[in-house]
Amino acid sequence: MKRELGIARCGLACCLCSENVTCNGCNSGECPDKDWCENRECTVSKKIGHCYECNEKCRKGLLAKIKPYAFTEFARRYGENYLLDCLERNEKNEIVYHREGINGDYDDFDDVEALIEYIKTGQR
């Protein structure tokens, strides 16, 4: 885990991304998706660092997907540091963020609240 990369603007876990060997996160200015990322554009225009800092509960861009939306909701409710603590603990307990391509153990959910509970407890 590269904790210093933290959480992306949209809620994805840059700190656990399998691409973080070459990517320094969406706030680095080096993000290959920076020209089309709707969440980056929105947060920059609102002068906030992350979607979880916004008062609107929208489903724009990557927030249309359960994983980034649940991570954003988790950070909104409990804070980014607690999210990072949980992700680090889960990684130590062999919960994998990217197992096949960009899919891993956090992707097999169709309910936001169930995924938030999984992040918190590491238990299904």
Side-chain angles (χ1 to χ4, degrees):
M1 178 165 173
K2 287 177 129 180
R3 191 178 179 111
E4 67 276 10
L5 292 181
I7 303 300
R9 289 174 177 267
C10 66
L12 290 174
C14 293
C15 58
L16 293 174
C17 181
S18 60
E19 296 176 17
N20 71 16
V21 173
T22 57
C23 177
N24 291 314
C26 59
N27 290 324
S28 69
E30 300 171 7
C31 177
D33 302 330
K34 70 180 179 183
D35 294 330
W36 65 264
C37 180
E38 188 174 358
N39 302 106
R40 183 182 188 282
E41 182 180 314
C42 183
T43 54
V44 168
S45 73
K46 291 181 178 184
K47 296 180 172 52
I48 57 176
H50 299 86
C51 292
Y52 67 76
E53 297 172 48
C54 184
N55 294 327
E56 297 174 38
K57 289 194 176 187
C58 79
R59 300 296 294 253
K60 287 191 235 178
L62 287 171
L63 295 179
K65 298 180 179 190
I66 287 182
K67 181 168 66 174
Y69 186 75
F71 279 48
T72 294
E73 279 300 303
F74 189 103
R76 180 179 282 127
R77 294 177 194 177
Y78 307 110
E80 184 175 343
N81 282 330
Y82 185 55
L83 174 57
L84 292 170
D85 290 345
C86 290
L87 294 174
E88 189 168 25
R89 178 205 64 226
N90 290 346
E91 182 184 46
K92 288 177 183 172
N93 290 327
E94 299 182 6
I95 295 175
V96 179
Y97 188 70
H98 286 166
R99 188 175 296 283
E100 295 177 22
I102 60 168
N103 291 318
D105 297 334
Y106 296 102
D107 291 285
D108 193 25
F109 287 85
D110 56 11
D111 179 71
V112 171
E113 295 304 320
L115 178 50
I116 288 172
E117 191 63 23
Y118 182 62
I119 295 166
K120 279 173 57 175
T121 65
Q123 303 291 317
R124 287 201 176 256

